[in-house]
Structures are given as structure tokens and as C-alpha cells.
């Protein structure tokens, strides 16, 4: 399997969220997006995405499932979700991971492909396994779920460790924030504050806007920022947002569209901004040369008649 190999995703979005006072945790907003939508964005290239929990609006289409009985815990929810999957690899995620990125998802799936292990789990900064940030081979997963159901009579209320201890696990370490989950309001506040830090806020905002507008396009933001700077300095400050808007509009109308179209439109607009600034500089220099050096001189620059 490679990064493009098919996999299905199961997102567990149930639970009582007691430490959040019973709030609908997957719907809690972090960076202007519900936690569930942030997780769904990270596994956007899944073949099927099954969300186990109560139905709610989502940023992209998903399949819905529910464990029986409702509130039966993660093992029962996982069993309900895997029944709707068909791929050989199944990504399993909780719905409260605000910093999970596509890179971590791909690393989990790629590592599962490269090894003979039955599952690959992410380990957190303290070295603890995170079975709800993991990729599983579907057949061993179904096998162990069936064995647990037979042994205990029901999957309801069983802890995940009963499942993972029977599987041959591989482990990976990646971005320590990838497994940060939001169990309390303090966790929510921490996540909201972090995405507004100087080094994160721009990428977070651009990602949020793309998700809100339904745009699946990776563009070089530095190119657009340079263009905006050139337009603001070389033309006028309001030219920056208007120019970048026109670049986006032109890219959308271009045949094929995509990131290359954005880059080409930005290149043309940036070159125009440079030419505009050069002309402005030449005009300013010519005006300064024509201006009399001594204010006491006449318009012709000759001596004043006495």
C-alpha cells in the first residue's frame, strides 16, 4: 500500500461528554469549525467514511451508524462502524482531535502497508498507545471483535485495551499534537488559543475558509502573500485584497483550474504590479528633476529681474 492506497475511515462521535457537561462534543467549534469536521478533513481521501454517533450536519458526505445499545462505548461503536466498511485497511479516529492532519493519517496507512502488523497505533508524547488514532487491517479487526462478543456476550462497555492487546501492533511517533483530544472545556480553550498563535493562525484560517467554501485546493500561500504585498506597496493598499480575489477568479475560469492556474495567474499579476511600481518610481523621479531646486527661483529658473 502507498499513500494513495484505498482505505476506509471510522470516526467515533458518540459518548456522553460528561466532562463537558453533556455538551455535543463533536459539534463544539475550534477555529470556527466543529471538531468532527476537522477530523473529517484529515481523512478526506478515505474511500468510505463512517461516523458512529447521532446524525448531524457535516462538511462532507458520510455514512452514519449507531452502536446497539446507544452509548455502548468505543468497542461497540467500532463494531458498528466496521460493518459498513469494505477496504482492507480501516482508519479509526475519535471525533475530538483538533490538530490531526492529513500527514499523520497518511503515515498511519503507509506504515500499515509497509509492515506485517495487524494494526498501527499512534503513541502520544508520554509513550501511551492511542487506539483511536490508528490504522487496522480489517480482517483481524473483525476477527477480534467477533471473539470478544463471543467471550463476553456483548461488546457494550468493554475497554479498547481488550481489543488491542490481542492484535499485533506497530507504533509510530509523529506530531505530538496529533493525538491531543478535547475531553474538558480546558482542553477546548487550549486548542482555541493555540490555533490563534502567530505561527499557526494563517494556515488555520486558510484551511477553515477552504473547508467552508468546499474548496479542495493546495496553493502556495507565500506566492499570494507576496502578490498582495507588491500590490499594496506598488499600487495602493486596497489593491491587495482585490488583486488576490481577481487572481482566484481568473484561476477558476482557466481551463483545468487547480493550483497551477492560481500560480500562473499570481505570476502575471505580480509582474504587472512590479511594472506598475517601476513606472510610478520613474514618474516620481522625473517630477523631482523638473522641480526647481531653489524655491526663490522663478518658474524658468532664471534670475529675478530687479
Amino acid at each position: 500500500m502507498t499513500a494513495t492506497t484505498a482505505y476506509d475511515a471510522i470516526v467515533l462521535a458518540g459518548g456522553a461528554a460528561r466532562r463537558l457537561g453533556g455538551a455535543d462534543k463533536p459539534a463544539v467549534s475550534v477555529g470556527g469549525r466543529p471538531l468532527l469536521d476537522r477530523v473529517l478533513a484529515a481523512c478526506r481521501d478515505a474511500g468510505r467514511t463512517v461516523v458512529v454517533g447521532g446524525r448531524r450536519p457535516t462538511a462532507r458526505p458520510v455514512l452514519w451508524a449507531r452502536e446497539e445499545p446507544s452509548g455502548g462505548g468505543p468497542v461497540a461503536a467500532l463494531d458498528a462502524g466496521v460493518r459498513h466498511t469494505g477496504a482492507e485497511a480501516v482508519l479509526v479516529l475519535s471525533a475530538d482531535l483538533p490538530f490531526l492532519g492529513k500527514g499523520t493519517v497518511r503515515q498511519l496507512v503507509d506504515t500499515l502497508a509497509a509492515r506485517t502488523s495487524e494494526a498501527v497505533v499512534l503513541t502520544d508524547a508520554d509513550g501511551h498507545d492511542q487506539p483511536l488514532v490508528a490504522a487496522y487491517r480489517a480482517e483481524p479487526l473483525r476477527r477480534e471483535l467477533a471473539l470478544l462478543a463471543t467471550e463476553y456476550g456483548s461488546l457494550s462497555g468493554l475497554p479498547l485495551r481488550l481489543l488491542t492487546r490481542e492484535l499485533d501492533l506497530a507504533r509510530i511517533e509523529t506530531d505530538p499534537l496529533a493525538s491531543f483530544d478535547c475531553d474538558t472545556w480546558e482542553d477546548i480553550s487550549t486548542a482555541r488559543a493555540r490555533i490563534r498563535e502567530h505561527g499557526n493562525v494563517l494556515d488555520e484560517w486558510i484551511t477553515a475558509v477552504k473547508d467552508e467554501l468546499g474548496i479542495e485546493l493546495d496553493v502556495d500561500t507565500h506566492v499570494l502573500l507576496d502578490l498582495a504585498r507588491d500590490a499594496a506597496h506598488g499600487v495602493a493598499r486596497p489593491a491587495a485584497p482585490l488583486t488576490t480575489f481577481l487572481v482566484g477568479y481568473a484561476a477558476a475560469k482557466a481551463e483545468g483550474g487547480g493550483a497551477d492556474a492560481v500560480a500562473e495567474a499570481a505570476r502575471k499579476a505580480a509582474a504587472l504590479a512590479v511594472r506598475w511600481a517601476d513606472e510610478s518610481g520613474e514618474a516620481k523621479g522625473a517630477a523631482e528633476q523638473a522641480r526647481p531646486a531653489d524655491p526663490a527661483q522663478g518658474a524658468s529658473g532664471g534670475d529675478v529681474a530687479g
Side-chain angles (χ1 to χ4, degrees):
M1 258 187 324
T2 67
T4 58
T5 300
Y7 71 92
D8 290 340
I10 301 172
V11 181
L12 305 189
R18 293 182 180 88
R19 286 190 281 176
L20 288 177
D24 183 9
K25 181 164 65 169
V28 172
S29 176
V30 173
R33 293 185 291 161
L35 283 168
L36 176 57
D37 281 344
R38 296 180 72 91
V39 174
L40 292 177
C43 60
R44 187 181 294 275
D45 57 351
R48 299 179 190 171
T49 300
V50 184
V51 178
V52 185
R55 285 178 173 268
R56 68 197 74 220
T58 53
R60 66 178 179 87
V62 299
L63 299 172
W64 294 95
R66 201 68 189 259
E67 73 275 19
E68 293 293 341
S70 178
V75 177
L78 183 52
D79 181 65
V82 78
R83 295 174 185 272
H84 296 273
T85 64
E88 294 181 2
V90 179
L91 181 75
V92 177
L93 305 169
S94 62
D96 61 349
L97 303 166
F99 303 118
L100 179 70
K102 294 179 182 178
T104 298
V105 166
R106 289 170 181 161
Q107 188 177 357
L108 286 166
V109 175
D110 288 350
T111 304
L112 183 68
R115 303 187 185 182
T116 59
S117 306
E118 295 175 322
V120 178
V121 300
L122 184 68
T123 58
D124 63 20
D126 297 322
H128 299 138
D129 290 346
Q130 299 296 314
L132 296 185
V133 192
Y136 297 81
R137 297 193 192 280
E139 188 56 36
L141 178 60
R142 291 191 176 96
R143 178 196 71 214
E144 294 305 324
L145 286 168
L147 289 173
L148 286 175
T150 300
E151 181 177 356
Y152 290 91
S154 170
L155 297 177
S156 183
L158 296 185
L160 274 169
R161 66 177 179 275
L162 292 179
L163 175 67
T164 55
R165 75 183 184 185
E166 300 300 330
L167 293 170
D168 175 24
L169 299 181
R171 295 169 174 85
I172 64 168
E173 298 178 2
T174 182
D175 179 1
L177 284 173
S179 61
F180 180 92
D181 56 1
C182 294
D183 290 329
T184 67
W185 285 114
E186 182 179 359
D187 294 335
I188 296 290
S189 296
T190 298
R192 287 172 172 171
R194 191 183 187 283
I195 66 171
R196 286 169 171 77
E197 292 175 356
H198 177 70
N200 303 316
V201 65
L202 182 59
D203 286 341
E204 287 284 350
W205 170 249
I206 295 301
T207 299
V209 171
K210 289 194 294 186
D211 283 353
E212 190 73 14
L213 299 179
I215 299 172
E216 297 184 37
L217 180 66
D218 291 327
V219 297
D220 189 340
T221 56
H222 295 292
V223 169
L224 295 179
L225 288 174
D226 288 345
L227 169 60
R229 179 202 62 208
D230 291 343
H233 292 174
V235 183
R237 187 171 295 274
L242 294 173
T243 303
T244 52
F245 163 77
L246 292 172
V247 164
Y249 184 77
K253 289 178 67 65
E255 184 177 353
D260 290 342
V262 174
E264 177 61 14
R267 183 193 65 76
K268 291 180 177 179
L272 175 61
V274 170
R275 295 197 302 271
W276 187 289
D278 288 344
E279 289 179 9
S280 297
E282 291 172 2
K284 182 179 179 182
E288 289 177 348
Q289 288 181 353
R291 185 180 304 128
D294 183 357
Q297 290 182 319
S300 64
D303 292 338
V304 178

